[in-house]
Amino acid sequence: MSTKTVPLTPRATVPLTRKILRDDVHDALLEMLMTQQLAPGQSLSIDSLARELGVSQTPVREALVQLEHTGLVIRAALKGYTVTAPLTAAQMAELVDAREVLELAAVERAVGAEGLAERLEAAHAEHQAVIERYGLDRAESAGEITQRHLLEYFRADWAFHEAIIRGCGNRFIDQMASILGANVHRMRQTMDVGLTDSADALREHADILAAFQVGNRAAAVGAMARHLHGVSQRAQAEAAAER
């Protein structure tokens, strides 16, 4: 089953405040990248983006540095920033492989962490609530799904993983995982091919949660490995469909 996004209105819709933070600008630029208002191959002018968003150049520059770490934009000497193309199936496979290295290590260290099972329960409940709220697992809702709904979905999905990564107690694993930007790459592909795996992801998260609830480290690592393998297979299929 696949859910397609509906047409979007032009320009970023993330609300911007007068005293804007880098994260607000980051979200505005991310939305523009996801909807291809900033298209692959397009050169990015910090000055032009700052004028369009009504902010100074500093938060735009900081947000672009943050986005560069995820690979959504690249910077060349004397040329500035350019929007990158979506990941190929092979590149997505490498990204998920990197996730496996980091996240399985995080799971190994996080099982039994104080309060983590409860945080995972809350993250899982929110993930499920987002799916049900927008009917992301129902084919009849396909025409009603917007980019904003998908953004909320992928943030809820990633929050579950992030709770484990932060729960492992290793700040460097946390930093490396955040740089991967795995959730935004999946979201970028989904814009064109439709969300196909919300029910699969929710079920796989439930298996991971169950292992954490009983403190079974081996079961938790195995459940996460199966989940990431499933993510890899589905992401590669999405990348192939997009081409």
Side-chain angles (χ1 to χ4, degrees):
M1 180 190 67
S2 175
T3 56
K4 292 291 187 176
T5 57
V6 298
L8 296 159
T9 54
R11 296 306 174 192
T13 58
V14 175
L16 301 177
T17 61
R18 191 166 183 177
K19 294 183 177 180
I20 192 162
L21 300 173
R22 178 191 65 189
D23 288 347
D24 296 314
V25 175
H26 173 274
D27 285 351
L29 294 178
L30 178 59
E31 182 173 332
M32 295 167 79
L33 287 163
M34 293 300 104
T35 59
Q36 295 198 20
Q37 294 171 49
L38 300 175
Q42 179 177 340
S43 296
L44 302 177
S45 164
I46 292 176
D47 180 59
S48 295
L49 290 171
R51 286 199 306 271
E52 181 168 354
L53 296 175
V55 298
S56 69
Q57 293 186 18
T58 298
V60 174
R61 186 176 293 108
E62 292 174 344
L64 286 172
V65 169
Q66 190 177 357
L67 290 166
E68 182 183 10
H69 289 160
T70 69
L72 291 177
V73 301
I74 56 174
R75 182 179 182 276
L78 304 178
K79 294 183 179 179
Y81 289 95
T82 303
V83 181
T84 59
L87 297 184
T88 64
Q91 290 169 330
M92 182 59 73
E94 289 183 16
L95 176 59
V96 177
D97 183 51
R99 284 188 65 181
E100 289 179 353
V101 172
L102 289 174
E103 293 196 52
L104 295 183
V107 170
E108 179 76 25
R109 290 158 176 76
V111 172
E114 184 177 358
L116 179 54
E118 290 77 9
R119 292 194 293 276
L120 285 177
E121 289 170 2
H124 184 63
E126 176 58 22
H127 185 200
Q128 183 173 3
V130 171
I131 292 172
E132 293 176 352
R133 185 180 307 137
Y134 303 122
L136 297 176
D137 56 347
R138 299 196 304 270
E140 61 270 23
S141 299
E144 302 171 1
I145 305 304
T146 69
Q147 185 273 343
R148 187 62 63 85
H149 298 156
L150 291 176
L151 179 62
E152 189 173 344
Y153 168 82
F154 277 103
R155 283 177 171 165
D157 179 280
W158 181 245
F160 183 88
H161 291 265
E162 196 170 44
I164 296 172
I165 292 165
R166 291 181 175 175
C168 81
N170 187 313
R171 71 188 67 187
F172 297 105
I173 290 178
D174 189 2
Q175 290 173 2
M176 287 186 288
S178 67
I179 288 173
L180 291 178
N183 59 326
V184 297
H185 288 289
R186 281 297 310 281
M187 180 167 56
R188 192 183 196 189
Q189 290 180 188
T190 300
M191 292 300 101
D192 289 330
V193 301
L195 181 63
T196 62
D197 69 340
S198 61
D200 293 321
L202 188 67
R203 183 177 60 254
E204 291 159 2
H205 282 192
D207 291 340
I208 297 167
L209 172 60
F212 269 89
Q213 288 171 324
V214 298
N216 189 326
R217 180 172 284 104
V221 172
M224 179 62 81
R226 289 190 295 274
H227 172 49
L228 292 177
H229 176 74
V231 169
S232 177
Q233 296 300 307
R234 296 188 292 266
Q236 290 181 64
E238 289 168 0
E242 186 177 13
R243 292 200 306 274

